[in-house]
């Protein structure tokens, strides 16, 4: 007997054209039925692009015909008209950023767990591993990336009127903090923020990037959700501290990504433990909570980052520890996590 699960699993091999994500994770498969070796699948695209539809149809038919026991395949791909698409679902409004291969969000269910620290260090670690990397600070109210990356110059404007991101430690950086004066509070409302983020993606001359990391503001509320919908994310990384892990904070982060069909690349446990100058390991917030929670949530565990004064100091100085001391245990921890992350994105 051909199960619906087997059919769905087969369709997971079909990527949305130009994206690293599959059509099932994007929520495009609306109906599957099967009887006597015949399979019928209905999909609803949110883009009016006829080439994408044809490619998805051909590829889906191919993988389904390869399933044992399948004798006949019917794939229907529905598309909105160009007019409908503009007002359609969230995904319709996502535009691929030209030249950028992978966009990854760094989020957590809670503030102050080290999202920005991890985003900055992972960006530098991916660069250290030889990738072309950008770092986009989506925290409009509390941008901390400029400080952590040590960038203060204003972006210049190119001949074709795009913002040119300054480069720090080999990483292209964009943040609202680079555009506003220090003491100017941001009092924008949601729509304005979304518009800014949109501009940050499409009106910034990112050039060719292997990875664009996106530092999200704290929390998993509506603001974060709509950001995840604005940005065509390839996946999300969740940062937690050991004690938060057990409090449902991780679950909230995972739920947020799942709501908008963004694959969870994994969980990072930050501030895992502290090593005293004498070498004694002290587990201030408990330990292993992240790994256990990741297992419970069936999400990959990417690694742990110890609590080190040097990490904070490096951040405050504008040179992430991965850059200032790649061989320090903290630098190594970030590089290992970047390696794990890169594997998930291949
Ligand atoms: N592993 C670590 N060891 C030592 N200090 C750390 C570590 N991770 C983060 N910090 C420090 O903790 C503070 C909060 O980190 P960070 O700003 O990265 O958190 P955040 O989750 O981005 O916060 P917010 O929710 O406000 O955006 C910073 O001062 C940072 O230097
Ligand atoms: Mg932050």
């Amino acid at each position: 007997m051909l199960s619906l699960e087997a059919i769905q699993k087969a369709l997971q091999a079909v990527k949305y054209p130009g994206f690293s994500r599959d059509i099932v994770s994007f929520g495009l498969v609306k109906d599957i039925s099967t009887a006597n070796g015949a399979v019928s699948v209905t999909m609803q695209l949110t883009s009016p692009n006829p080439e994408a539809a044809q490619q998805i149809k051909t590829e889906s038919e191919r993988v389904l015909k390869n399933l044992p026991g399948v004798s006949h395949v019917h794939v229907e791909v529905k598309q909105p008209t160009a007019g409908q698409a503009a007002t359609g679902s969230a995904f319709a409004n996502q535009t691929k950023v030209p030249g950028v291969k992978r966009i990854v969000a760094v989020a957590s269910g809670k503030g102050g767990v080290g999202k920005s620290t991890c985003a900055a260090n992972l960006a530098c670690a991916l660069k250290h591993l030889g990738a072309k990397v950008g770092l986009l600070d989506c925290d409009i109210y509390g941008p901390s990336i400029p400080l952590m990356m040590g960038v203060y110059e204003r972006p210049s404007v190119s001949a074709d009127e795009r913002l040119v991101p300054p480069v720090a430690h080999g990483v292209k950086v964009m943040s609202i903090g680079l555009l506003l004066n220090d003491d100017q509070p941001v009092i924008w409302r949601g729509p304005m923020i979304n518009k800014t983020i949109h501009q940050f993606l499409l009106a910034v001359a990112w050039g060719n990037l292997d990875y664009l990391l996106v530092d999200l503001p704290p929390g998993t509320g509506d603001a974060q959700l709509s950001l995840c919908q604005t940005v065509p994310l390839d996946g999300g990384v969740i940062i937690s501290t050991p004690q938060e892990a057990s409090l449902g904070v991780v679950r909230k982060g995972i739920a947020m990504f799942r709501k908008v069909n963004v694959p969870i690349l994994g969980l990072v446990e930050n501030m895992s433990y502290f090593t005293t100058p004498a070498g004694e390991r002290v587990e201030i917030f408990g330990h292993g909570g992240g790994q256990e929670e990741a297992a419970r949530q069936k999400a990959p565990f990417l690694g742990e980052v110890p609590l080190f004064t040097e990490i904070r100091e490096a951040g405050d100085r504008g040179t992430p520890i991965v850059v200032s001391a790649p061989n320090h245990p903290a630098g190594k921890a970030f590089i290992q996590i970047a390696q794990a992350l890169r594997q998930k994105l291949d």
Side-chain angles (χ1 to χ4, degrees), residues 242 269-287 304-312 328-329:
E269 183 178 285
N270 188 29
M271 310 192 190
S272 261
Y273 56 89
F274 173 73
T275 313
T276 65
E280 190 198 346
R281 178 170 161 141
V282 186
E283 295 173 351
I284 299 177
F285 299 126
H287 178 248
E304 52 187 35
V305 180
L307 191 75
F308 274 113
T309 316
E310 289 91 332
I311 294 182
R312 186 193 54 74
H328 183 280

Side-chain angles (χ1 to χ4, degrees), residues 55-188:
Q55 216 172 317
I56 290 172
K57 183 173 159 65
T58 312
E59 186 62 8
S60 303
E61 286 172 347
R62 193 185 61 78
V63 297
L64 293 176
K65 277 182 189 145
N66 281 341
L67 278 180
V70 171
S71 56
H72 187 79
V73 174
H74 175 75
V75 176
E76 184 185 7
V77 183
K78 294 183 181 166
Q79 281 189 289
T81 61
Q84 286 169 331
T87 52
S89 83
F91 183 55
N93 300 326
Q94 294 183 343
T95 323
K96 185 112 178 107
V97 183
V100 177
K101 284 194 196 140
R102 300 278 186 264
I103 306 186
V104 175
V106 179
S108 92
K110 196 171 172 285
V113 298
K115 281 180 301 303
S116 303
T117 302
C118 288
N121 275 287
L122 289 177
C124 292
L126 287 165
K127 160 78 192 152
H128 178 91
L129 295 170
K132 296 194 210 62
V133 187
L135 177 57
L136 171 59
D137 186 356
C138 278
D139 195 339
I140 301 290
Y141 297 114
S144 46
I145 292 297
L147 176 79
M148 289 183 183
M149 293 294 283
V151 222
Y152 302 99
E153 63 190 280
R154 285 194 182 240
S156 54
V157 178
S158 67
D160 59 347
E161 301 205 323
R162 282 144 59 87
L163 281 175
V164 180
V167 178
H169 314 298
V171 173
K172 292 182 182 168
V173 180
M174 186 51 67
S175 164
I176 194 78
L178 301 177
L179 300 173
L180 301 176
N181 294 328
D182 273 358
D183 42 7
Q184 199 175 331
V186 178
I187 45 169
W188 301 340

Side-chain angles (χ1 to χ4, degrees), residues 244-261:
E244 301 303 344
S246 50
L247 297 177
V249 176
V250 171
R251 206 166 55 234
K252 270 200 230 159
I254 289 179
M256 174 182 77
F257 283 131
R258 290 204 171 131
K259 227 184 218 165
V260 285
N261 288 317

